[in-house]
Amino acid sequence: SSLADNPIREDGKLYAESLQTPSSAQGADEPAITGKDFTVTRHGAQNMAAQNQHAGMEPQEAEQYALMQYIVRRSVYFQAVSEGYLASDEAVQQDIDYTREASKSADNAEDYYEFIKGTGMTEDEYWASMFDTRKMLITLENYAEAKRTAFLADGHTQDDEAAWQAYCFDLTQKAIDAQEITLAAPYAWELTAENYNAVSVWPPLH
């Protein structure tokens, strides 16, 4: 079947394109987001927005969500690393091995294989390409869980959800400020109390 008939395979294709070295054509290799510890090219930002749109978002929402995925996750990630929460390579590999096996035996295993087909990679290549992303996500989980534990140990109860959210907003704001982020035109994004956790970095208190 053609890619047009197979949205899951198209997802795989979009993912594979995210890994490609951007060409200098149309400035794809120029930075869209620049922080102290990371840079995201226009190619990266556009590809993430395309993946979001393919998942059902409107173009404007897809672009804003892509900026959040990069700015919030990466800023908090580098803050977590600076505080000693970097996930070990062993933990990441264990997580990948577990997820890989679970994907094969899941009810939607067929979708998993279609996605891999769409990437044009072998399974081994796909999971190797996911290593750094999984490392970031596990580091973020470790960090958020440690902050949650400390918050509760500090005398808060599990009913203090509003105080927890305010605390997480503050942590997010400080992490982003530390990166001194600049966005290239026409990109614009602002952290707010409404969007600071749109990409689910912080768990609920209970």
Side-chain angles (χ1 to χ4, degrees), residues 51-149:
Q51 291 188 56
N52 293 339
Q53 219 175 312
H54 198 247
M57 292 184 185
E58 293 298 318
Q60 179 64 26
E61 181 194 6
E63 183 179 281
Q64 286 289 294
Y65 196 73
L67 295 177
M68 283 189 277
Q69 285 169 292
Y70 281 122
I71 295 169
V72 174
R73 278 191 187 141
R74 295 202 180 186
S75 297
V76 177
Y77 168 74
F78 282 106
Q79 184 59 39
V81 170
S82 76
E83 291 183 34
Y85 290 97
L86 183 63
S88 70
D89 286 354
E90 295 76 26
V92 178
Q93 194 56 55
Q94 272 181 347
D95 174 80
I96 283 177
D97 292 344
Y98 174 81
T99 308
R100 180 174 175 167
E101 285 312 306
S103 301
K104 292 179 186 179
S105 57
D107 291 342
N108 63 345
E110 196 180 322
D111 291 351
Y112 164 70
Y113 287 112
E114 284 298 317
F115 181 90
I116 299 286
K117 267 186 203 160
T119 66
M121 303 178 194
T122 64
E123 269 192 276
D124 285 348
E125 286 167 342
Y126 169 69
W127 287 107
S129 78
M130 282 294 291
F131 193 90
D132 288 346
T133 299
R134 297 302 300 174
K135 186 163 194 159
M136 176 174 69
L137 294 176
I138 296 168
T139 299
L140 286 171
E141 282 171 22
N142 293 347
Y143 183 64
E145 194 47 50
K147 293 295 176 190
R148 183 178 166 278
T149 302

